[in-house]
Amino acid sequence: MLEVFQAIESSAIEIAKLISTSGDFAYSDGKNSSGDQQLKLDVESDKIIEKFFSEIEIIKAIASEERDEITFFANRENGKYLIAYDPLDGSSLVDVNLSIGSIFGIYENEFIGKNLIASVYIVYGPRVEMVIADTTSRLYRLINGEFKFIRELKLANKGKINATGGTQKEWSENHRELINKLFNDGYRLRYSGGMVPDLHQILLKGGGLFSYPTTKDQPKGKLRLLFELMPFALVFKMAGGDGIDKNAVSILDLPIENIHDTSSAFFGSNGELNLVREYYK
Ligand code: P6P
């Protein structure tokens, strides 16, 4: 597993350079499986990650948000890791100089939540930071070209941050009541439109709620299970919180029919998730 983490670190250093040196990011002429217009930056980041992963024997296959199908590496009969990743989530935010990120889920032998043995995400912001979750959630920071361990991440039972995703005019009434309840309890709105920095802020501040519900314009939710939601569910779980869907099912227990499946998602401390359960009962 260490060589996988090292490959992710090497990818992150190259992607950080790519972000800082690229000019305005033209859209490529492609669209990904979720119908998102692909930025050249997405495609280039995906290539960087594949290059490093292709050199690791224990990796059998990779699934990228930017590709329709799973890519199986040749001669990997003994490989046991399947890696699902979003190479550059929220990449369009680079145009307005906001933080973005890369998300990785390392699955053993099968792309299902219970086989997710580790997850990693990178935040490209004023600083480049990384969180690794396996049996704990741990924060690292890129300092002089190396990722240094900073501290373990632990969520309190409640926080003060309310990160409210989705098109508000399309929210269901109970979702609107949940969000207003938090604001009436003094929670502060913190939402950039990039799930990596938005979730990172809740983890580092010790608590709060990130919500991306199903809406009329996103009836199955927008965020992807394999590449985004399951990796973050492991991070939050290991930090003492959790990630659940609108039926209060743990995201790690949700079935995967297609590698690009999406779901509603609520991430946070237990205090906030109990409110979600109450308002979505
Ligand atoms: P909305 C970025 O495009 C992304 O996939 C996530 O990073 C982010 O949480 C979400 O979409 C933002 O979506 O509809 O709130 O703009």
Side-chain angles (χ1 to χ4, degrees):
M1 182 64 79
L2 189 60
E3 53 184 336
V4 175
F5 294 156
Q6 286 164 345
I8 291 172
E9 291 178 16
S10 304
S11 304
I13 291 167
E14 271 197 38
I15 292 170
K17 279 196 197 98
L18 183 69
I19 293 169
S20 60
T21 53
S22 301
D24 282 341
F25 306 111
Y27 280 105
S28 72
D29 47 15
K31 282 198 175 197
N32 66 16
S33 300
S34 306
D36 300 333
Q37 185 70 37
Q38 285 179 310
L39 272 166
K40 283 197 170 60
L41 209 49
D42 290 324
V43 174
E44 290 309 311
S45 300
D46 187 28
K47 285 180 189 160
I48 290 169
I49 293 165
E50 181 188 22
K51 174 188 73 179
F52 283 106
F53 282 164
S54 66
E55 292 159 6
I56 299 176
E57 294 290 315
I58 200 164
I59 299 176
K60 190 175 195 170
I62 56 175
S64 165
E65 188 191 277
E66 298 306 322
R67 303 170 193 222
D68 294 344
E69 307 295 334
I70 297 171
T71 303
F72 288 88
F73 291 136
N75 310 318
R76 295 293 168 86
E77 290 66 37
N78 300 326
K80 63 176 181 176
Y81 293 155
L82 305 174
I83 303 186
Y85 61 91
D86 181 353
L88 208 56
D89 181 79
S91 48
S92 57
L93 293 169
V94 178
D95 283 345
V96 291
N97 204 24
L98 286 178
S99 299
I100 57 176
S102 303
I103 313 166
F104 303 83
I106 298 131
Y107 298 79
E108 192 152 10
N109 294 319
E110 199 180 348
F111 278 135
I112 51 174
K114 68 181 175 63
N115 286 28
L116 179 64
I117 54 172
S119 62
V120 183
Y121 71 82
I122 309 286
V123 191
Y124 307 98
R127 300 191 289 214
V128 178
E129 294 190 336
M130 171 174 72
V131 168
I132 293 177
D134 40 35
T135 53
T136 62
S137 285
R138 304 182 297 282
L139 171 67
Y140 300 79
R141 184 170 300 144
L142 187 60
I143 300 169
N144 299 328
E146 278 189 43
F147 281 94
K148 303 282 190 208
F149 173 72
I150 304 297
R151 65 183 170 96
E152 243 186 81
L153 297 177
K154 276 288 169 214
L155 290 165
N157 186 47
K158 278 166 63 76
K160 298 186 179 64
I161 290 173
N162 194 5
T164 57
T167 309
Q168 298 201 17
K169 77 177 180 66
E170 306 295 0
W171 286 350
S172 63
E173 263 331 289
N174 63 310
H175 186 76
R176 196 179 306 284
E177 285 163 16
L178 165 69
I179 298 302
N180 288 337
K181 159 70 177 163
L182 290 172
F183 284 135
N184 294 336
D185 286 355
Y187 282 67
R188 312 292 299 277
L189 173 64
R190 293 290 183 271
Y191 190 77
S192 74
M195 79 182 290
V196 174
D198 290 342
L199 287 164
H200 192 59
Q201 180 172 197
I202 290 173
L203 285 159
L204 268 60
K205 297 276 186 185
L209 181 69
F210 173 97
S211 53
Y212 205 106
T214 55
T215 55
K216 294 186 199 81
D217 59 334
Q218 298 276 6
K220 290 189 175 177
K222 175 181 184 183
L223 303 179
R224 292 82 170 180
L225 272 169
L226 210 55
F227 314 109
E228 298 167 336
L229 299 180
M230 287 185 169
F232 267 106
L234 185 66
V235 172
F236 270 76
K237 211 172 188 75
M238 293 304 138
D242 203 350
I244 62 175
D245 75 351
K246 65 180 182 180
N247 301 312
V249 176
S250 173
I251 280 168
L252 292 170
D253 295 337
L254 291 174
I256 298 266
E257 274 133 42
N258 175 294
I259 61 168
H260 292 282
D261 282 352
T262 61
S263 167
S264 55
F266 301 84
F267 291 101
S269 315
N270 292 319
E272 285 86 7
L273 293 182
N274 287 336
L275 266 185
V276 174
R277 294 182 179 99
E278 185 185 325
Y279 280 76
Y280 270 80
K281 206 180 285 177

